[in-house]
Amino acid sequence: MMNSVSLNPKLQRLAWIAAGIFAFLMRFVLLDKLPLTNPEAINALQALNVTQAGEQQIGGETGYVLLSAAWFFLFGAGDGIARFWPALAGTVLTLTPWLFRKQLGEKAALLLCFGLVLDAGWTAVSRQAHGMTLAGLFSILALAALVNKKPRLIGTFTALALLGGPAFWLGIVGLGMAFGLYKLVFQPRQAPREEDEIEEIGIFAGINWKPAVIWFGGMLLVCGTLLLIIPNGISSIFNGFVQYFSSWVNPGGLNIWRLLLGLVLSQPIGFLFATVGILRILRNHDRLDTLLSVWWLTALILVLLNPGREMIQVGWAALPMLALASRQLAGLLKIRIEAGWTAIAYSIIVVVLMVFAWLNFIAYFQAASPEVSTFVRIITTVFPVLLLVGAAIVIRWFWSEETAGQGALWGLVATLALWGFSAAWGGTGLGANPAGQIWRAGGLIDEVDLINSTVDDLSTWKMRVPGELDLVVEGVESPALRWALRDYDQVKFVTSTASTASPAMLITIDKPSPELAETYRGQDFVLEVNPNWQMSFDEWLQWVAFKKVPVSKTMVVLWARADLFPDAAGFNP
């Protein structure tokens, strides 16, 4: 594919550095602002148990648990520390297109880098405590080593990717099926051409697999046991295998249409131009584009067919989709054209009118009782688009078709990039309505910090130091609450309390408790906010505009024994 974008090497280096800095900020800024969700807390608690109690019960996220256990040992446990390794892996992942610049083209690789930086899915995944980004990063590094025929690196990175847990199996199954489908079905139909990026000798030819196997086994032994400290780490690797394939028999709650909507609206520029790439294959028969298309559709179909599908799994489909879209943009975008200033002016008009149309769209939902009819709102939303078409006709008439086309393309790319940045910012959880972010796993944990501070205040009030009063958590199955109370020494988690037990503090689910009200004083807290994605068409439109969703709240009550308060009889601080 011809590459029409031209940048000098110095500007390219600066662009790569800027992309890396931007990716770092998007993935690390205020990393500990949101409390860990229940799925995150399960992994973090396993790492904490390895560090504190020496327990070696590890689930499927072997790599995450072992790395985080080492990090907790060195720096202590915290929300930001628990998310450090996924955030670091997610940052490095955005720079991996540099390794494929020969196959993709330098300009396409740079565009792919920025596409990954602004991808809402991988941004959200990078800020959550699990092994998805570790599996993604090392799988891509293993693929780069395979393309460049580096057997030791193939073994090393494959072993590290395997430690990523269930996400590794999802990625490797999709990639393997796509490559097999391409080799058996699509490649024989395409006549070889000199400019094809894929060599005829095959990707697996000419590799000495013996050192690859040796390095794979060695890295799996050393890293899978945390330098032989946690022997059970090796056996837990198979838990990831079991978890992935058990998802094919255990249905989840994710609707297929919600998954597709999340993909399209979170990455519109990637979806649009990847679709363009599929259509262009029918004409130019580009082999690399064909392979990327097969990989994208195979990975997406695997997620759609999986009964236990999760939104974060779409990240595997986003990788080839963005690579395919980047190659199309690299071929379509031009910098030096005749009447360039006219094209720039038209692109600015495109951005302004598209933003104006969007503001008219969301204004309809902002007003409690809209002063104008729905028909008028539709007209004011569509009218700017009609103006753009008219302006394109005028520019084509007085200047050239290239000027009109490039101006429209620049403006469209800029507008969709702004949309992508907005979606990525929402994926960080730092924007408005974090409970309505479609890429986050688990419900939003809300007031555990308030519970923590209240428990510490009561203990300090009575005992002069925090953490000295006994606390019982009865019948509340919440890993996030366990994680939040991890530093409280006197806490016990039970299914029910004995009739004679009278702990100083008690946390229960929110229900009428007249027997507790006689001797305790209670305060309710919001523990978890769960979005309800079974929405009407109007509610989906409001989600598109403001990320607002109907929610249900899980409440708990913190009970404090009455004699802890100064106005109680027999109070003794």
Side-chain angles (χ1 to χ4, degrees):
M1 175 180 293
M2 295 300 294
N3 200 328
S4 300
V5 183
S6 177
L7 290 175
N8 64 52
K10 184 176 181 180
L11 287 178
Q12 287 193 46
R13 287 193 294 270
L14 291 176
W16 281 103
I17 294 173
I21 294 174
F22 192 32
F24 178 84
L25 294 175
M26 289 288 288
R27 285 149 180 79
F28 275 95
V29 169
L30 298 178
L31 192 57
D32 60 348
K33 180 180 179 181
L34 295 180
L36 297 191
T37 62
N38 282 323
E40 291 181 280
I42 291 174
N43 297 327
L45 286 170
Q46 291 177 7
L48 188 63
N49 288 336
V50 169
T51 303
Q52 293 182 342
E55 297 183 16
Q56 299 182 7
Q57 188 67 31
I58 302 174
E61 305 278 358
T62 308
Y64 169 80
V65 170
L66 295 181
L67 283 174
S68 296
W71 224 234
F72 291 164
F73 178 78
L74 295 174
F75 302 104
D79 292 346
I81 299 297
R83 293 170 174 148
F84 173 83
W85 288 109
L88 180 62
T91 302
V92 178
L93 177 65
T94 63
L95 300 176
T96 54
W98 186 82
L99 301 173
F100 298 92
R101 63 194 184 281
K102 179 181 177 181
Q103 291 77 23
L104 297 173
E106 291 187 353
K107 315 312 180 293
L110 182 58
L111 290 171
L112 176 56
C113 174
F114 278 98
L116 289 173
V117 170
L118 294 178
D119 183 71
W122 282 103
T123 300
V125 168
S126 300
R127 296 176 65 93
Q128 299 180 55
H130 53 68
M132 175 74 175
T133 51
L134 294 171
L137 170 62
F138 291 116
S139 295
I140 297 302
L141 292 177
L143 181 60
L146 181 63
V147 170
N148 292 280
K149 304 187 185 304
K150 304 290 184 181
R152 292 179 177 83
L153 293 180
I154 293 173
T156 298
F157 291 135
T158 303
L160 295 175
L162 180 59
L163 296 175
F168 165 78
W169 296 103
L170 174 64
I172 200 67
V173 168
L175 180 57
M177 290 181 63
F179 187 77
L181 188 62
Y182 169 78
K183 296 290 288 186
L184 295 175
V185 179
F186 292 95
Q187 190 179 32
R189 298 181 180 181
Q190 296 175 320
R193 301 185 305 165
E194 293 182 359
E195 62 269 25
D196 282 332
E197 289 86 347
I198 299 178
E199 299 180 2
E200 292 297 321
I201 60 175
I203 194 172
F204 295 103
I207 297 178
N208 182 5
W209 291 101
K210 183 177 180 180
V213 173
I214 294 174
W215 278 79
F216 173 82
M219 291 300 295
L220 206 59
L221 179 64
V222 173
C223 297
T225 60
L226 196 62
L227 303 178
L228 305 179
I229 298 176
I230 311 295
N232 283 356
I234 289 291
S235 61
S236 67
I237 293 173
F238 298 99
N239 294 337
F241 176 84
V242 173
Q243 285 182 17
Y244 168 67
F245 286 99
S246 65
S247 67
W248 286 91
V249 296
N250 298 322
L254 179 60
N255 183 277
I256 290 179
W257 297 111
R258 174 190 156 198
L259 185 147
L260 291 174
L261 186 66
L263 174 64
V264 175
L265 295 181
S266 298
Q267 189 53 263
I269 191 170
F271 185 86
L272 173 62
F273 287 98
T275 304
V276 171
I278 292 178
L279 297 177
R280 296 181 73 187
I281 290 172
L282 302 176
R283 181 172 56 111
N284 58 27
H285 303 291
D286 186 278
R287 292 193 169 192
L288 182 54
D289 286 352
T290 302
L291 176 58
L292 291 173
S293 300
V294 174
W295 183 11
W296 172 33
L297 297 178
T298 303
L300 184 59
I301 290 173
L302 275 177
V303 177
L304 294 177
L305 294 180
N306 191 335
R309 69 187 73 88
E310 297 179 0
M311 194 66 208
I312 62 174
Q313 295 175 345
V314 185
W316 282 112
L319 291 175
M321 181 189 76
L322 290 173
L324 179 61
S326 299
R327 281 175 55 79
Q328 310 315 307
L329 279 173
L332 293 172
L333 285 174
K334 299 178 181 178
I335 292 181
R336 296 180 179 89
I337 63 172
E338 295 182 4
W341 288 108
T342 303
I344 292 175
Y346 180 49
S347 67
I348 294 174
I349 293 174
V350 170
V351 173
V352 171
L353 289 180
M354 293 293 286
V355 171
F356 179 73
W358 173 250
L359 293 177
N360 273 287
F361 172 75
I362 65 175
Y364 178 77
F365 299 101
Q366 286 180 319
S369 56
E371 299 177 356
V372 297
S373 64
T374 302
F375 177 76
V376 174
R377 287 291 182 189
I378 294 176
I379 293 298
T380 56
T381 302
V382 174
F383 184 67
V385 179
L386 299 178
L387 286 179
L388 292 177
V389 175
I393 295 174
V394 171
I395 293 174
R396 184 181 183 278
W397 181 271
F398 286 98
W399 283 274
S400 67
E401 182 177 349
E402 182 184 58
T403 302
Q406 287 298 307
L409 184 59
W410 296 346
L412 177 62
V413 170
T415 304
L416 293 181
L418 288 174
W419 181 292
F421 171 75
S422 176
W425 182 253
T428 64
L430 303 178
N433 302 316
Q437 296 303 323
I438 203 167
W439 289 94
R440 299 197 64 82
L444 178 69
I445 303 301
D446 197 359
E447 295 182 341
V448 291
D449 291 340
L450 289 177
I451 296 176
N452 234 335
S453 61
T454 304
V455 167
D456 284 341
D457 289 345
L458 287 170
S459 181
T460 303
W461 193 357
K462 181 71 175 180
M463 308 298 293
R464 304 299 183 188
V465 291
E468 291 298 321
L469 287 178
D470 55 324
L471 169 65
V472 173
V473 180
E474 176 190 353
V476 182
E477 294 298 328
S478 173
L481 183 60
R482 285 179 178 266
W483 171 259
L485 296 172
R486 64 190 179 277
D487 294 328
Y488 201 84
D489 297 331
Q490 303 299 323
V491 64
K492 293 181 180 179
F493 290 84
V494 298
T495 55
S496 62
T497 55
S499 58
T500 57
S502 182
M505 293 178 290
L506 183 66
I507 296 178
T508 67
I509 60 174
D510 186 14
K511 63 179 182 179
S513 302
E515 67 281 1
L516 289 176
E518 294 179 359
T519 55
Y520 286 83
R521 300 180 185 180
Q523 173 63 52
D524 60 344
F525 295 89
V526 179
L527 177 61
E528 189 173 3
V529 180
N530 289 290
N532 178 15
W533 295 105
Q534 304 300 322
M535 298 187 293
S536 65
F537 180 74
D538 287 342
E539 288 174 329
W540 274 111
L541 289 179
Q542 292 192 39
W543 177 82
V544 171
F546 304 109
K547 298 300 181 288
K548 290 183 178 179
V549 295
V551 298
S552 60
K553 297 181 179 180
T554 301
M555 308 290 295
V556 296
V557 179
L558 171 61
W559 300 93
R561 207 168 53 218
D563 59 14
L564 298 179
F565 298 92
D567 58 349
F571 173 75
N572 182 22

